[in-house]
């Protein structure tokens, strides 16, 4: 059973939603600011969880912030709604304008852990939509909240939630570069690599356990694969010249890379362990920024073989290259949506570099931003949002925009430049 | 070595070290200048010597010697080749510079060179890395046409990651669109 989407849903409590969210802003290292929302949002009430006061207020506040940030929900004031997993105050919630209601309970268990249970209700149909129970440690309160958000999001929108995913990005401050990993809400930021030399192009392995990236610590670009759990890493490509632009194959066994060992920036594939280097394409000019299509059949890439940088694709085993972009003199950094239907890339429009999306079936394009220094787009694993780097007031920030251009967020770190975002796949 | 001379050379070393930290090409560590004792070349020599006088210019370090790299008066003291926006063609004005470095490579086959290509900040980081690589390779190719050896020269790119100038202006971007020729010990 799924709550149907109703465009005639009432719009209230906008201010209230903003007030509910405000106390969360200071906590995250990576602060996320919502700068645009969907046209129609599902009104939902998240009642305080029974027992929450004695454990952590983070639980429901994280769920509320997750849903609000997605731009697809409008939070309805839950003050005074009865708490608990079994409470179902349909009339009260409906009178407040909520189409959906979440109620839950958190309780300590004998082994010093916690059990969190919740149920999701449809107030229109006065029916339960389902619920879950999680046993967890106190350190996993936020992770549990993200799982609840994922459940609610999927039940109400029909698509999988991304609240339990993570983002990787590079922070530059005072001559130091840090590759950091944070939860999708910007919290829990951790440093995976710290260096005095630049780090670029981080990208998640399909199983979400490793990052491939380019580090300049050897005074030239070298490709590494870094296991996040153990902190161990190994060189994948350190040939004469430059080694860059790693992209994982969908099975995680190989990487498409750019090497210059044979002259020029050219496309190769290499095993994730650095073995079996194979040349993929050949051009007199620049070929770079390879990216596998989700089905593994194609590699999209940037090339200036036609006189200006444009996006092309080639079979994953090589063959003839076909040009994809034709409008304008600078179209770079191709990134396929997870369903393979859309292509996000950066196009130059009158001196402005802007995130653009193309429907590959119709070849229709849409510029998604009004900024001018967009770089490095990365799709959320459900394809709903695109994370990218841009610049505001001379400082590097991350921003996210929905694939339809409506929902907008800004992510920034105080007093630092932040760039090179990469959204993780779903966590197993 | 007398104590005063020792102190002086220490001071010179300190200046060299300080200068080397500034991101500029290494400062000149003066090797003995090419002043030639006139008594041996004829000027004021014994009456039995040559009657013609060979003029000697008492300055130049051999421009193909490694010492020339550290001599601000030498052509090869300059290491940078600058490029136009989105271009990787070497402009004519840099050909004498490349010619001088090629001669030095030929004269010193044991010396190694690293060419670092750079790009301005506009556009994609990875595309700019490739653009910087093209610039470095253009310099490498030109050097090899003039006798530099493949084994001597590696061309790499720093893309837009190591800007010399960080203002957002054309004059600044122009400084960042370049290839730098560095020799063993300088990278």
């Amino acid at each position: 059973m799924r709550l149907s989407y109703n465009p005639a849903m009432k719009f209230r409590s906008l201010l209230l939603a903003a007030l509910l969210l405000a106390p969360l802003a200071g906590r995250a290292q990576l602060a996320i600011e919502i700068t645009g929302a969907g046209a129609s949002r599902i009104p939902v009430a998240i009642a305080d969880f029974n027992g929450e006061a004695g454990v952590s207020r983070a639980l429901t506040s994280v769920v509320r912030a997750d849903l609000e940030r997605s731009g697809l929900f409008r939070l309805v004031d839950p003050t005074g709604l009865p708490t608990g997993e079994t409470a179902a105050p349909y009339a009260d919630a409906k009178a407040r304008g909520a189409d959906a209601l979440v109620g839950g309970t958190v309780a300590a268990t004998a082994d010093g852990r916690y059990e969190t249970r919740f149920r999701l209700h449809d107030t229109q149909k006065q029916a339960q939509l389902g619920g879950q129970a999680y046993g967890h440690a106190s350190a996993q309160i936020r992770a549990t909240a993200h799982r609840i958000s994922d459940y609610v999001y999927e039940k109400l929108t029909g698509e999988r939630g991304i609240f339990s995913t993570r983002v990787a990005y590079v922070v530059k401050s005072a001559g130091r570069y840090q590759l950091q990993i944070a939860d999708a809400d910007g919290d829990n930021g951790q440093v995976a690599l710290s260096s005095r030399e630049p780090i670029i192009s981080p990208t998640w392995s399909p199983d979400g356990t490793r990052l491939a990236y380019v580090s300049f610590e050897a005074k030239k670009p070298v490709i590494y694969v870094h296991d996040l759990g153990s902190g161990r890493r190994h060189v994948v490509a350190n040939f004469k010249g430059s080694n860059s632009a790693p992209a994982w194959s969908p099975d995680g066994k190989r990487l498409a890379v750019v090497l210059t060992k044979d002259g020029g920036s050219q496309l190769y594939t290499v095993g994730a362990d650095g073995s079996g280097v194979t040349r993929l394409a050949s051009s007199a000019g620049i070929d770079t920024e390879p990216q596998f299509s989700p089905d593994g059949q194609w590699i999209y890439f940037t090339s200036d073989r036609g006189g200006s940088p444009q996006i092309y694709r080639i079979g994953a085993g090589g063959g003839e290259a076909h040009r994809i972009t034709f409008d304008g003199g600078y179209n770079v950094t191709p990134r396929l949506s997870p369903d393979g239907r859309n292509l996000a890339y950066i196009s130059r429009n009158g001196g402005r570099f802007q995130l653009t999306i193309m429907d590959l079936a119709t070849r229709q394009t849409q510029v998604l931003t009004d900024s001018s220094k967009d770089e490095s787009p990365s799709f959320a694993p459900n394809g709903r949002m695109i994370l990218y780097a841009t610049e505001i007031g001379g400082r590097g920030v991350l921003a996210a925009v929905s694939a339809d251009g409506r929902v907008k967020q800004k992510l920034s770190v105080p007093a630092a430049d932040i760039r090179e975002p990469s959204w993780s796949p779903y966590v197993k | 070595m007398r104590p005063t001379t020792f102190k002086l050379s220490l001071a010179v070393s300190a200046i060299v070290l300080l200068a080397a930290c500034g991101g500029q090409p290494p400062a000149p560590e003066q090797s003995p200048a090419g002043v030639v004792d006139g008594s041996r070349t004829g000027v004021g020599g014994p009456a039995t010597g040559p009657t013609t006088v060979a003029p000697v210019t008492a300055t130049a370090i051999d421009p193909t010697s490694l010492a020339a790299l550290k001599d601000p008066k030498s052509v090869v003291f300059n290491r940078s080749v600058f490029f136009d926006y989105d271009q990787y063609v070497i402009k004519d004005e840099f050909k004498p510079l490349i010619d001088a470095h090629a001669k030095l490579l030929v004269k010193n086959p044991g010396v190694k060179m690293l060419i670092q290509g750079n790009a301005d900040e506009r556009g994609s980081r990875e595309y700019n890395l490739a653009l910087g690589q093209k610039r470095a390779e253009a310099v490498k190719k030109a050097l090899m046409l003039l006798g530099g050896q493949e084994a001597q020269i590696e061309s790499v790119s720093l893309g837009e990651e190591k800007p010399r100038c960080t203002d957002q202006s054309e004059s600044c971007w122009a400084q960042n669109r370049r290839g730098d020729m560095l020799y063993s010990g300088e990278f």
Side-chain angles (χ1 to χ4, degrees):
Chain A
M1 186 157 51
R2 219 179 94 204
L3 196 73
S4 59
Y5 173 74
N6 177 5
M9 281 170 182
K10 291 161 242 100
F11 291 90
R12 279 184 299 193
S13 309
L14 263 179
L15 181 63
L16 189 65
L19 288 175
L20 281 172
L21 208 64
L24 299 174
R27 195 170 182 277
Q29 299 172 48
L30 180 65
I32 303 186
E33 182 187 326
I34 300 153
T35 54
S40 305
R41 297 184 294 158
I42 300 168
V44 57
I46 315 292
D48 289 342
F49 280 16
N50 202 10
E52 187 180 19
V55 181
S56 169
R57 283 284 176 196
L59 201 58
T60 49
S61 61
V62 168
V63 174
R64 289 181 191 122
D66 281 348
L67 297 178
E68 173 75 6
R69 202 176 56 252
S70 74
L72 301 183
F73 298 90
R74 181 164 58 75
L75 296 181
V76 171
D77 179 14
T79 309
L81 281 176
T83 63
E85 184 208 359
T86 52
Y90 292 131
D92 192 349
K94 197 175 165 186
R96 293 168 191 241
D99 286 1
L101 168 71
V102 174
T105 302
V106 55
T109 52
D111 57 359
R113 289 163 60 86
Y114 294 93
E115 185 180 65
T116 296
R117 314 174 69 90
F118 76 95
R119 284 185 200 174
L120 171 65
H121 306 272
D122 178 338
T123 64
Q124 305 280 351
K125 293 177 182 162
Q126 308 214 345
Q128 273 191 38
L129 294 173
Q132 297 271 298
Y134 309 106
H136 59 88
S138 63
Q140 295 168 315
I141 293 260
R142 294 184 70 89
T144 302
H146 292 316
R147 293 177 70 182
I148 296 170
S149 303
D150 282 334
Y151 184 92
V152 171
Y153 181 96
E154 184 164 352
K155 280 285 177 188
L156 298 183
T157 69
E159 71 188 23
R160 203 167 161 186
I162 44 74
F163 305 111
S164 300
T165 61
R166 296 190 286 174
V167 291
Y169 49 88
V170 175
V171 178
K172 185 194 174 197
S173 51
R176 180 155 286 277
Y177 299 81
Q178 289 189 330
L179 176 60
Q180 295 190 11
I181 316 292
D183 294 346
D185 65 353
D187 206 90
N188 194 28
Q190 298 173 55
V191 176
L193 175 68
S194 190
S195 175
R196 294 183 64 83
E197 299 297 333
I199 303 162
I200 64 168
S201 306
T203 179
W204 293 85
S205 63
D207 66 359
T209 64
R210 291 168 293 168
L211 281 175
Y213 53 78
V214 176
S215 169
F216 290 69
E217 63 203 66
K219 306 285 180 188
K220 61 178 251 184
V222 172
I223 302 169
Y224 296 81
V225 163
H226 186 129
D227 183 87
L228 292 172
S230 67
R232 273 196 217 106
R233 62 195 195 126
H234 63 266
V235 169
V236 172
N238 181 14
F239 295 98
K240 190 170 184 182
S242 298
N243 309 266
S244 71
W248 294 89
S249 64
D251 65 7
K253 290 180 180 162
R254 294 187 71 74
L255 292 159
V257 297
V258 172
L259 307 178
T260 70
K261 67 189 184 76
D262 303 315
S265 296
Q266 298 285 296
L267 305 182
Y268 298 76
T269 59
V270 57
D273 60 356
S275 66
V277 178
T278 309
R279 187 148 183 183
L280 187 68
S282 193
S283 82
I286 290 169
D287 284 355
T288 188
E289 301 186 311
Q291 165 108 112
F292 280 90
S293 61
D295 63 8
Q297 296 292 299
W298 303 98
I299 290 175
Y300 286 72
F301 64 101
T302 306
S303 177
D304 72 342
R305 60 182 64 197
S308 66
Q310 298 290 345
I311 294 163
Y312 293 75
R313 78 172 189 186
I314 192 170
E320 198 184 335
H322 296 275
R323 187 166 165 177
I324 303 292
T325 55
F326 291 91
D327 293 342
Y330 192 96
N331 295 299
V332 299
T333 326
R335 298 286 182 258
L336 276 295
S337 63
D339 64 6
R341 290 183 188 159
N342 292 299
L343 180 75
Y345 59 100
I346 304 297
S347 63
R348 187 180 64 205
N349 306 301
R352 302 170 80 189
F353 296 86
Q354 295 177 303
L355 176 61
T356 305
I357 193 163
M358 176 191 284
D359 179 325
L360 286 169
T362 64
R363 299 287 164 116
Q364 279 197 316
T365 64
Q366 183 190 353
V367 176
L368 292 177
T369 70
D370 53 10
S371 37
S372 60
K373 297 193 77 181
D374 302 346
E375 287 181 16
S376 308
S378 176
F379 272 97
N382 65 358
R384 166 70 61 172
M385 301 291 290
I386 305 166
L387 184 62
Y388 61 100
T390 189
E391 211 176 274
I392 295 177
R395 207 154 62 82
V397 299
L398 303 187
V401 61
S402 58
D404 64 7
R406 285 192 165 135
V407 180
K408 291 184 176 176
Q409 303 163 356
K410 190 183 90 177
L411 303 77
S412 59
V413 174
D417 263 306
I418 174 168
R419 72 271 291 266
E420 297 294 273
S422 178
W423 208 314
S424 84
Y426 287 119
V427 176
K428 292 283 188 298
Chain B
M1 184 180 281
R2 297 200 317 275
T4 47
T5 317
F6 181 62
K7 275 180 200 158
L8 180 66
S9 61
L10 264 184
V12 168
S13 304
I15 290 163
V16 168
L17 280 173
L18 281 173
C21 296
Q24 293 293 320
E29 186 178 11
Q30 294 287 359
S31 48
V35 180
V36 178
D37 185 347
S39 65
R40 297 191 191 153
T41 55
V43 183
T48 53
T51 52
T52 53
V53 175
V56 168
T57 312
T59 55
I61 294 171
D62 175 358
T64 63
S65 73
L66 294 179
L69 293 170
K70 296 174 180 180
D71 175 11
K73 292 187 294 264
S74 163
V75 176
V76 292
F77 187 75
N78 296 314
R79 309 301 181 77
S80 299
V81 176
F82 295 91
F83 294 84
D84 287 338
Y85 177 60
D86 217 7
Q87 297 297 313
Y88 40 82
V89 174
I90 294 172
K91 294 189 273 188
D92 285 345
E93 64 190 279
F94 296 103
K95 286 182 177 161
L97 175 63
I98 287 173
D99 188 56
H101 281 282
K103 286 195 169 82
L104 194 144
L105 287 173
V106 169
K107 191 75 174 289
N108 303 275
V111 77
K112 296 246 195 298
M113 177 189 274
L114 181 72
I115 307 169
Q116 292 177 331
N118 296 269
D120 74 37
E121 65 180 33
R122 292 170 292 173
S124 150
R125 287 183 189 278
E126 280 288 356
Y127 190 77
N128 283 337
L129 193 68
L131 204 51
Q133 184 68 31
K134 272 288 189 188
R135 288 170 179 160
E137 284 175 8
V139 175
K140 177 178 170 177
K141 271 178 200 157
L143 289 165
M144 286 176 63
L145 280 173
L146 295 164
Q149 296 301 305
E150 168 71 34
Q152 276 181 295
I153 312 169
E154 179 173 10
S155 51
V156 301
S157 180
L158 302 179
E160 64 176 89
E161 308 304 327
K162 293 277 191 173
R164 182 181 281 180
C165 179
T166 54
D167 296 338
Q168 299 200 2
S169 65
E170 174 48 36
S171 68
C172 187
W173 290 328
Q175 290 182 56
N176 295 336
R177 296 189 297 262
R178 66 177 203 284
D180 289 334
M181 295 173 278
L182 306 179
Y183 287 86
S184 311
E186 296 176 346
F187 53 85

